[in-house]
Amino acid sequence: EPEVTQTPSHQVTQMGQEVILRCVPISNHLYFYWYRQILGQKVEFLVSFYNNEISEKSEIFDDQFSVERPDGSNFTLKIRSTKLEDSAMYFCASRGLDGLAVTDTQYFGPGTRLTVL
Amino acid sequence: LAKTTQPISMDSYEGQEVNITCSHNNIATNDYITWYQQFPSQGPRFIIQGYKTKVTNEVASLFIPADRKSSTLSLPRVSLSDTAVYYCLVGEGGYSTLTFGKGTMLLVSP
């Protein structure tokens, strides 16, 4: 079964450093998402991306965050200058075709645990 | 966005049927009810989605009464590996961003 993959599984960084979290969505999917989950808290939406542009973003997704689809397979989340409060699990999700129809099911990756020291 | 209320936690034993109920009094006409499962340190996983009456797949059943103000996720014969957090989401399904609540922590014991 096709799945969303994410790398790295765990990233440790110093406060103020830039990090790039990588995701490979399911190959025929067209819609891409980033969510995050701070330890012990709810899964929170960050941003959605379609047709090479941001469709929607939350208040969390400020100027420190950016997303990119640099090629036909990767989808990245960049945090320009990390803060302690950015420590969380970051999940990528994708949605797309199921047969001939666009499905509404979002498939999540295993996540990247980001630790900011 | 319809607010959902579900129990914080539930306990069960292997082999039992587990029913998790979610209240969503303000559900809109266009809203669907979607359930996700999340294991520790993993991403949420889609379980089932419905609009009304009953939906069944190989993993679970979803019961939705006529007024759609609540729904019940039914897991038949749970095993230890069903220990997870279960989220009830109400909205346009995955067409829009998913809004997760705190979910129900299900603990299955031997």
Side-chain angles (χ1 to χ4, degrees), chain A residues 33 35 37 42-43 45 48 56 89 91 95 102-106 108-110 113, chain B residues 36 38 41-46 49 87 92-98 100-102:
Chain A
Y33 308 83
Y35 294 81
Q37 186 174 32
K42 296 186 277 190
V43 177
F45 166 74
S48 61
E56 190 177 349
M89 282 287 284
F91 297 108
R95 169 171 77 87
V102 176
T103 177
D104 69 339
T105 302
Q106 292 186 23
F108 284 75
R113 179 174 299 283
Chain B
Y36 274 79
Q38 186 181 27
S41 298
Q42 293 189 28
R45 177 176 151 252
F46 171 87
Q49 183 183 75
Y87 300 97
E92 296 175 343
Y95 288 122
S96 62
T97 64
L98 298 175
F100 289 84
K102 294 186 178 178

Side-chain angles (χ1 to χ4, degrees), chain A residues 10-59:
Chain A
H10 193 180
Q11 172 96 44
V12 181
T13 189
Q14 295 289 326
M15 191 169 57
Q17 295 295 304
E18 174 184 286
V19 294
I20 297 176
L21 310 182
R22 291 184 166 78
C23 168
V24 179
I26 295 172
S27 63
N28 64 347
H29 282 190
L30 306 171
Y31 302 84
F32 313 111
Y33 308 83
W34 283 101
Y35 294 81
R36 79 171 187 190
Q37 186 174 32
I38 295 170
L39 187 63
Q41 298 190 25
K42 296 186 277 190
V43 177
E44 301 173 289
F45 166 74
L46 293 178
V47 66
S48 61
F49 191 86
Y50 169 71
N51 201 26
N52 282 319
E53 60 183 29
I54 290 174
S55 312
E56 190 177 349
K57 59 183 181 179
S58 71
E59 290 178 354

Side-chain angles (χ1 to χ4, degrees), chain B:
Chain B
L1 205 63
K3 185 178 178 330
T4 60
T5 303
Q6 50 182 125
I8 294 172
S9 64
M10 291 183 69
D11 294 322
S12 182
Y13 293 97
E14 281 189 292
Q16 290 192 330
E17 178 183 79
V18 170
N19 296 307
I20 306 174
T21 297
C22 178
S23 298
H24 28 79
N25 290 319
N26 298 324
I27 189 168
T29 305
N30 295 334
D31 285 343
Y32 284 77
I33 300 151
T34 309
W35 286 80
Y36 274 79
Q37 173 193 56
Q38 186 181 27
F39 298 112
S41 298
Q42 293 189 28
R45 177 176 151 252
F46 171 87
I47 303 175
I48 198 166
Q49 183 183 75
Y51 184 80
K52 62 180 179 181
T53 63
K54 177 184 172 184
V55 180
T56 298
N57 62 22
E58 62 276 6
V59 175
S61 295
L62 179 59
F63 299 92
I64 306 166
D67 66 5
R68 303 199 329 122
K69 291 183 186 301
S70 67
S71 59
T72 299
L73 174 72
S74 181
L75 304 172
R77 297 179 300 282
V78 294
S79 63
L80 298 177
S81 62
D82 292 316
T83 292
V85 179
Y86 292 81
Y87 300 97
C88 165
L89 290 79
V90 172
E92 296 175 343
Y95 288 122
S96 62
T97 64
L98 298 175
T99 301
F100 289 84
K102 294 186 178 178
T104 296
M105 174 66 220
L106 172 66
L107 176 63
V108 180
S109 301

